[in-house]
Amino acid sequence: RKSSSVQKLNSSNSSNSSPSKKKPPSLNLQPPKGTRDFPPPLLRLRTYLFTLFRSASLSHGFSEYDSPVLESEELYTRKAGEEVTEQLYCFSDKGDRRVTLRPEMTPSLARIIMGTKPALPIKWFSIPQCWRYERMTRGRRREHYQWNVDVWGVQGVEAEVEVISVMVRFFTSVGITQSDVGIKVNSRGIIGALLEGLGIPEDKFAETCVLIDKLEKVPVEALKADLEELGITEEQITSLTDVLVHKDIEKISEVVGDCPAVQDVRKLFSMCTELGIVDWLEFDASVIRGLSYYTGIVFEAFDRSGTLRAIAGGGRYDKLLESFGGDPTPAVGFGFGDAVIVELLKDKNLLPDFEKGEVEFCVYSMDEGGTAKAMKVANELREKGCSVDVVLEEKKMKWAFKHADRIGAKRVVIVGGDEGSRGEVRVKNMESGEQETVKVAEIGEWAENI
Ligand SMILES: OCc1cccc(Br)n1
């Protein structure tokens, strides 16, 4: 639904435009398809989330990194049928190079590590905007911000526990508890043992996982051709999915034995028990995740009400660097998008109101030509670290108070008038309505003590 202002604009273009006064076609006011504008209220919400993503990461000693949104297409040409590589926002640039807007951050991280060879282990995080180009599917977004948290160089499940701890800390910081959200845990090693048992060759393992992940979303008929291409029969899929419904690691170990993958899962649960976050976790053999490069434990955060898509997901991907020609390097990480979490916070009534900004002072000159004086008072306050707005035009007092309310000013400082002639200003507290007089020469000191 177009907003009323756009409708008005379009109607004015069509109704009273005579040929002689033909107006230029109206500008499309919407951002490009699948993208979002962030006017101040939405950017305040985004900043709220990013600030808490950052503090959860920094509190665990993670370092922030970034890289270009534009990458070489070759970084994502793995042939495993993943959505993320089939929907690249790719193009040929003016130098005829094949490039793409990044669909995820992990391959860029691998590129940076291969190129700079930082001392391991590293604990890095980033909040990149990631892109996809979906044809046909109407209405799905083409960009999102995805918080990435990764540990490189740690072989043990301590790395998985660490990144899950970061995620739990974020959830706690926005008021989400383990009764709102759970984290399903599985291992590609378990799935691999099951596939081996079904006689599916190791080199088909990654794309089979991607296919099984898709099976959760589409009927098996839709993937029949892909399954046949992989030489997987419907019976094999049925017997596989019959096992994947298990939510009990003991049941699974009866099928695949006490293999290293089962031991890893057990160790992760016992460490999280000791850490006190195990009630966020549950084993679920059906969790696969849609990225081909996971090699070990995988996990995904879900809303226990079952109404939303996965909130976040991650896992171990020990072979990614080797797949780029690098040295074998253990790696674990997760991606956490900025869309589902907002839906969850809305559902749980945990979304703060960002409609208005906050500013400590609005300074207003009631005298004509007094704006520079008002600006000088404002700077005295800014010297003390205050956020200060100044009314920049000659306005009536009533307008100034309305404006102060609109911008969320806590206090209005009125410059000029009788107080002005005595070297004073009047300050009105917008919440309590109280007024007080302050000497201009002392306003900085005064501001430090309110
Ligand atoms: O979750 C996959 C994905 C990747 C890029 C952009 C968007 Br929106 N979604």
Side-chain angles (χ1 to χ4, degrees):
R1 199 178 64 80
K2 285 196 168 152
S3 65
S4 54
S5 55
V6 175
Q7 278 164 341
K8 250 191 258 122
L9 187 95
N10 288 344
S11 60
S12 66
N13 279 351
S14 54
S15 52
N16 57 12
S17 53
S18 61
S20 59
K21 287 191 298 178
K22 192 105 186 86
K23 285 184 184 165
S26 60
L27 180 71
N28 177 0
L29 301 177
Q30 301 305 314
K33 184 175 161 38
T35 70
R36 299 164 289 174
D37 291 325
F38 287 90
L42 287 180
L43 195 76
R44 283 190 280 268
L45 165 55
R46 190 176 99 184
T47 302
Y48 169 73
L49 288 178
F50 287 18
T51 301
L52 293 173
F53 286 157
R54 266 193 190 92
S55 47
S57 310
L58 295 171
S59 70
H60 283 68
F62 282 70
S63 301
E64 189 163 10
Y65 69 100
D66 196 5
S67 61
V69 68
L70 190 70
E71 277 284 9
S72 165
E73 189 182 27
E74 67 180 355
L75 220 51
Y76 313 97
T77 50
R78 47 188 200 258
K79 297 274 177 290
E82 298 145 286
E83 235 185 45
V84 85
T85 57
E86 290 185 333
Q87 296 172 348
L88 288 179
Y89 209 124
C90 55
F91 54 95
S92 296
D93 72 8
K94 291 184 176 173
D96 218 16
R97 296 175 197 82
R98 288 299 301 168
V99 292
T100 184
L101 298 182
R102 64 186 165 208
E104 55 170 337
M105 195 59 158
T106 309
S108 301
L109 176 56
R111 178 179 60 71
I112 295 168
I113 290 172
M114 275 184 73
T116 59
K117 299 192 184 331
L120 298 178
I122 59 162
K123 295 165 53 169
W124 288 7
F125 80 97
S126 187
I127 313 174
Q129 189 176 32
C130 296
W131 294 79
R132 69 182 168 197
Y133 191 94
E134 275 191 312
R135 296 183 187 291
M136 317 307 278
T137 325
R138 279 176 313 99
R140 289 238 292 176
R141 287 198 297 132
R142 284 184 167 159
E143 53 78 24
H144 71 165
Y145 286 84
Q146 189 191 53
W147 175 37
N148 275 247
V149 174
D150 290 86
V151 176
W152 283 61
V154 174
Q155 193 63 57
V157 296
E158 287 77 2
E160 282 89 334
V161 173
E162 178 78 343
V163 299
I164 289 172
S165 172
V166 174
M167 190 189 292
V168 166
R169 188 168 187 85
F170 167 77
F171 280 130
T172 307
S173 72
V174 291
I176 293 288
T177 71
Q178 53 271 54
S179 55
D180 302 315
V181 163
I183 299 173
K184 293 175 184 169
V185 177
N186 191 16
S187 168
R188 287 282 179 94
I190 291 172
I191 302 158
L194 293 170
L195 295 178
E196 201 179 342
L198 291 168
I200 292 164
E202 164 79 15
D203 63 347
K204 300 283 184 202
F205 171 51
E207 43 199 305
T208 306
C209 285
V210 173
L211 218 48
I212 302 167
D213 181 65
K214 284 180 181 174
L215 273 176
E216 298 208 336
K217 295 144 194 152
V218 295
V220 66
E221 289 69 39
L223 299 168
K224 213 167 154 55
D226 298 311
L227 289 166
E228 277 161 14
E229 200 181 316
L230 276 174
I232 302 172
T233 64
E234 280 201 46
E235 293 69 33
Q236 283 177 316
I237 283 297
T238 310
S239 66
L240 186 66
T241 43
D242 287 351
V243 176
L244 295 181
V245 294
H246 284 318
K247 301 205 185 290
D248 176 350
I249 186 72
E250 298 319 319
K251 273 266 180 296
I252 284 290
S253 63
E254 286 164 19
V255 179
V256 298
D258 191 23
C259 60
V262 166
Q263 291 162 25
D264 276 351
V265 171
R266 283 210 185 96
K267 182 175 176 186
L268 183 130
F269 274 83
S270 70
M271 283 187 69
C272 288
T273 301
E274 202 172 334
L275 181 53
I277 59 172
V278 77
D279 45 3
W280 287 82
L281 305 186
E282 57 188 68
F283 175 74
D284 183 333
S286 68
V287 171
I288 296 240
R289 298 303 297 163
L291 290 172
S292 63
Y293 49 69
Y294 286 134
T295 56
I297 281 175
V298 288
F299 52 88
E300 81 185 17
F302 69 100
D303 87 287
R304 292 190 190 277
S305 73
T307 54
L308 303 175
R309 308 180 308 285
I311 301 162
R316 180 168 285 277
Y317 52 98
D318 289 346
K319 298 265 189 285
L320 187 63
L321 223 60
E322 274 169 283
S323 74
F324 288 152
D327 302 332
T329 312
V332 169
F334 67 73
F336 193 127
D338 69 338
V340 179
I341 182 64
V342 170
E343 291 169 59
L344 177 70
L345 293 175
K346 275 181 191 155
D347 291 353
K348 302 293 178 186
N349 209 12
L350 287 169
L351 213 47
D353 174 10
F354 292 108
E355 197 40 45
K356 271 189 201 173
E358 271 181 15
V359 71
E360 288 166 279
F361 293 95
C362 172
V363 181
Y364 158 70
S365 165
M366 57 192 293
D367 298 348
E368 279 203 27
T371 306
K373 203 182 278 76
M375 288 174 165
K376 182 141 179 43
V377 170
N379 276 340
E380 295 294 323
L381 292 166
R382 290 168 185 144
E383 279 306 302
K384 300 298 178 185
C386 301
S387 53
V388 188
D389 173 66
V390 171
V391 174
L392 298 174
E393 296 166 297
E394 313 282 355
K395 292 286 184 184
K396 295 256 181 292
M397 181 88 75
K398 193 161 175 282
W399 183 92
F401 281 111
K402 233 177 166 44
H403 167 74
D405 178 57
R406 248 193 328 269
I407 65 170
K410 291 183 189 140
R411 290 180 173 81
V412 176
V413 177
I414 301 150
V415 175
D418 297 346
E419 287 82 359
S421 55
R422 294 197 297 273
E424 294 170 341
V425 290
R426 202 151 35 97
V427 181
K428 178 177 177 184
N429 183 311
M430 293 295 280
E431 193 182 351
S432 65
E434 279 165 32
Q435 306 218 16
E436 60 184 297
T437 305
V438 180
K439 288 196 180 315
V440 173
E442 298 165 2
I443 192 132
E445 196 182 331
W446 169 81
E448 281 180 319
N449 301 306
I450 51 176

